[in-house]
Amino acid sequence: MIVLKITNASEVMASKLGKFLESLTPDALDQSTIEDIILKKLVENLQAEGLKGEVASVRGLEMEEKELVMHDGLRVRRHHTF
């Protein structure tokens, strides 16, 4: 299993949209948008390599140093089978 944590979603959105528009969007929306883009590209690349599997965006799971922490309300936000 691979866990990927995006830590600069707001900065990426600001570079794409501009600082003013980014300041109008909540950080959670920035994170979700970046996760959706990454999932789409990841699935495309893995399929191109002939790999099969599943990938998901999960809310309520945090990576803190070397530990995975589960919070109440853990749920799959988006799921793709490839």
Side-chain angles (χ1 to χ4, degrees), residues 58-64 67-75:
V58 179
R59 241 187 222 133
L61 182 66
E62 297 292 327
M63 187 168 29
E64 296 177 2
E67 294 183 3
L68 287 176
V69 179
M70 292 189 309
H71 299 283
D72 290 338
L74 177 68
R75 70 179 189 90

Side-chain angles (χ1 to χ4, degrees), residues 31-68:
Q31 187 74 24
S32 296
T33 302
I34 295 298
E35 285 176 1
D36 291 345
I37 293 168
I38 289 171
L39 283 178
K40 180 181 175 194
K41 295 291 186 181
L42 183 60
V43 167
E44 289 172 2
N45 289 323
L46 293 172
Q47 284 177 326
E49 294 296 326
L51 293 169
K52 293 182 180 181
E54 298 177 56
V55 63
S57 173
V58 179
R59 241 187 222 133
L61 182 66
E62 297 292 327
M63 187 168 29
E64 296 177 2
E65 305 228 356
K66 293 185 178 189
E67 294 183 3
L68 287 176

